[in-house]
């Protein structure tokens, strides 16, 4: 069976990124939850995390956290998507901590924990929606009163802290001022329950900018880091913020060339829609040298999310199972691409998520 397409990961560079995140966060009094959902927590890449000094792994999918436990992980496990009521029993038996924003879910977790783990209360973090409009309490008084109820009326749960998400849906920038809005909520809850919260989780990878800029709001002591460890790309590309000393280009897609031919650059005939019901834009550049590689949209997601490493290779688009490349510049420069060659592509978070979720892609830890 062919070993392509495949995604490779550089072990040492990934390990260095994990260690860098732990070190820089520790210096600022911040604990790191290493988020593994960006690569689906697959068994091929997970060992780098299992061998790290992280004390907590996180994912939005329970099956990924269970895989980590089954492979020997003994540290904490955090579910970073609000639980479904239907999975409450799995949440309390498999994970240690979950992010929450609904009273009905908290009640279900409480009942499940009392029944299944009576000697180990399930830890919960209540999420505040600070404007990104994904999960979280919008009414802050509702959030505070819910926290008091968890503390006083739900013995199966332990109120571990509060948290927020900034940027994943509403595209907000996690500025110091925006992140700081979480602190008074935490302080008010502490006043009402009469003790200090263990966790004030200030966001995900985009919030790492506050740490490296040295203006993380005082009181934030926890971050949930995925992309910033895996790729260290988004803060630089989308926010113009240096990600040094993090390593980039840890993951590489390798795809095999299955056709190389001279073809028109504009479809010949009446144009309607492609296989996905869209009508793409085509530029007529005359006859061009084109190549197909055996990986497609079902594996990649969006062709704009992979980046050819070879100079002169341009991604035109593709279909479910093919990526179409303009390679004219390679040949014009005296190079060659032939059937059977392996072309390499850098990835971003979107393509990494799709590729590691595809059963047609092979994975190699180098």
């Amino acid at each position: 069976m062919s070993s392509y397409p495949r995604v490779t990961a550089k072990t040492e560079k990934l390990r260095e990124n994990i260690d860098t995140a732990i070190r820089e966060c520790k210096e600022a009094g911040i604990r790191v939850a290493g988020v593994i959902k960006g690569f689906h927590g697959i068994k091929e890449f997970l060992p780098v995390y299992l061998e790290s000094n992280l004390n907590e792994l996180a994912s939005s999918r329970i099956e990924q956290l269970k895989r980590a436990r089954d492979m020997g992980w003994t540290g904490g496990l955090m579910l970073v998507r609000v639980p479904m009521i239907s999975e409450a029993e799995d949440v309390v038996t498999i994970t240690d901590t979950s992010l929450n924003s609904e009273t009905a879910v908290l009640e279900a977790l409480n009942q499940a924990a009392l029944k299944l783990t009576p000697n180990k209360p399930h830890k919960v973090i209540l999420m505040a929606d600070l404007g990104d409009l994904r999960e979280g309490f919008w009414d802050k008084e509702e959030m505070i009163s819910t926290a008091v109820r968890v503390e006083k009326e739900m013995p199966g749960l332990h109120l571990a802290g509060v948290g927020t998400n900034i940027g994943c849906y509403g595209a907000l920038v996690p500025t110091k001022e925006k992140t700081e809005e979480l602190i008074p909520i935490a302080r008010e809850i502490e006043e009402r329950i009469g003790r200090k919260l263990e966790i004030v989780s200030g966001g995900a990878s985009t919030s790492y900018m506050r740490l490296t800029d040295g203006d993380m709001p005082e009181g934030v002591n926890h971050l949930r880091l995925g992309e910033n460890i895996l790729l260290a790309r988004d803060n630089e590309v989308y926010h113009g913020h240096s990600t040094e000393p993090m390593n980039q280009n840890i993951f590489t897609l390798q795809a095999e060339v299955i056709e190389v031919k001279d073809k028109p650059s504009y479809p010949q005939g009446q144009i309607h829609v492609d296989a996905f019901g869209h009508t793409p834009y085509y530029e007529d550049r005359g006859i061009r040298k084109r190549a197909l590689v055996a990986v497609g949209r079902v594996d990649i997601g969006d062709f704009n999310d992979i980046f050819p490493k070879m100079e002169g290779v341009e991604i035109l688009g593709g279909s479910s199972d093919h990526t179409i490349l303009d390679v004219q510049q390679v040949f014009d420069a005296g190079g060659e691409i032939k059937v059977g060659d392996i072309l390499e592509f850098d990835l971003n978070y979107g393509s990494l998520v799709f590729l590691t979720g595809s059963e047609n892609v092979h994975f190699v830890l180098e």
Side-chain angles (χ1 to χ4, degrees):
M1 181 177 291
S2 171
S3 59
Y4 298 99
R6 70 182 179 189
V7 173
T8 66
K10 297 179 174 64
T11 302
E12 288 307 314
K13 287 191 173 184
L14 181 55
R15 182 177 292 126
E16 287 172 4
N17 278 10
I18 295 172
D19 292 343
T20 297
I22 294 172
R23 183 182 66 254
E24 292 189 340
C25 285
K26 184 177 181 180
E27 291 172 355
I30 293 173
R31 197 175 83 202
V32 177
V35 181
I36 60 174
K37 68 187 179 76
F39 62 98
H40 284 268
I42 59 173
K43 61 183 177 60
E44 289 86 354
F45 298 157
L46 194 55
V48 185
Y49 280 74
L50 302 182
E51 296 162 5
S52 73
N53 290 321
L54 289 162
N55 54 26
E56 189 173 40
L57 297 184
S59 180
S60 56
R61 302 293 195 272
I62 291 179
E63 60 269 21
Q64 296 174 17
L65 298 175
K66 184 178 185 301
R67 184 181 303 124
R69 187 70 83 207
D70 291 344
M71 290 178 63
W73 177 254
T74 58
L77 292 174
M78 175 180 284
L79 182 65
V80 293
R81 184 177 68 183
V82 174
M84 296 181 281
I85 288 178
S86 61
E87 63 183 356
E89 294 192 354
D90 286 337
V91 173
V92 302
T93 55
I94 295 172
T95 77
D96 302 288
T97 309
S98 61
L99 310 186
N100 285 270
S101 62
E102 283 289 351
T103 302
V105 176
L106 290 164
E107 290 172 344
L109 293 174
N110 179 54
Q111 292 303 313
L114 290 174
K115 181 176 81 169
L116 300 172
T117 60
N119 298 319
K120 182 187 176 186
H122 179 71
K123 301 174 190 175
V124 296
I125 294 172
L126 300 189
M127 297 294 283
D129 189 336
L130 301 182
D132 199 63
L133 305 182
R134 200 178 73 174
E135 83 278 33
F137 290 88
W138 182 253
D139 186 317
K140 302 311 179 283
E141 183 53 44
E142 179 192 4
M143 179 176 175
I144 293 167
S145 62
T146 301
V148 173
R149 184 177 174 193
V150 170
E151 180 77 4
K152 299 184 182 300
E153 301 177 20
M154 299 185 184
L157 305 180
H158 172 67
L159 180 62
V162 297
T164 193
N165 176 78
I166 305 173
C168 285
Y169 171 72
L172 295 186
V173 179
T175 61
K176 178 179 185 293
E177 293 74 22
K178 177 54 66 177
T179 309
E180 214 161 28
E181 293 177 17
L182 184 62
I183 307 305
I185 300 171
R187 299 293 88 92
E188 178 64 23
I189 289 174
E190 290 173 339
E191 180 71 22
R192 298 269 193 101
I193 67 176
R195 67 173 176 85
K196 191 170 183 62
L197 296 170
E198 299 101 84
I199 296 174
V200 178
S201 189
S205 287
T206 51
S207 295
Y208 199 81
M209 294 186 291
R210 302 282 61 79
L211 179 70
T212 54
D213 279 357
D215 61 357
M216 180 69 76
E218 185 177 351
V220 171
N221 62 10
H222 184 275
L223 289 175
R224 311 177 305 276
L225 300 181
E227 191 279 339
N228 199 65
I229 289 174
L230 293 169
L231 297 156
R233 181 181 184 275
D234 285 3
N235 285 344
E236 180 179 301
V237 172
Y238 301 122
H239 298 283
H241 191 280
S242 174
T243 56
E244 293 182 353
M246 291 289 191
N247 295 306
Q248 296 182 333
N249 303 327
I250 292 173
F251 295 89
T252 299
L253 167 64
Q254 298 177 329
E256 185 170 337
V257 177
I258 57 174
E259 178 183 295
V260 180
K261 293 188 183 300
D262 293 323
K263 291 188 179 183
S265 51
Y266 196 84
Q268 305 295 291
Q270 183 177 345
I271 295 176
H272 186 38
V273 296
D274 64 14
F276 292 89
H278 303 139
T279 304
Y281 169 77
Y282 304 101
E283 180 183 357
D284 191 348
R285 301 161 68 185
I287 300 296
R288 305 278 292 182
K289 187 75 73 175
R290 294 155 70 96
L292 302 183
V293 290
V295 64
R297 190 167 171 180
V298 297
D299 309 299
I300 296 165
D302 189 331
F303 295 110
N304 293 317
D305 289 339
I306 61 172
F307 312 93
K309 290 193 174 189
M310 178 181 283
E311 189 74 26
V313 174
E314 177 186 351
I315 296 173
L316 297 174
S319 61
S320 300
D321 311 301
H322 307 80
T323 300
I324 302 173
L325 309 171
D326 184 305
V327 295
Q328 186 66 51
Q329 291 183 53
V330 175
F331 284 81
D332 288 347
E336 183 183 21
I337 293 174
K338 60 185 183 301
V339 172
D341 284 352
I342 306 301
L343 298 185
E344 295 189 333
F345 304 82
D346 288 324
L347 308 177
N348 66 8
Y349 190 79
S351 54
L352 180 63
V353 169
F354 268 90
L355 285 159
T356 50
S358 173
E359 64 179 10
N360 304 308
V361 179
H362 304 266
F363 308 105
V364 178
L365 194 59
E366 296 180 335

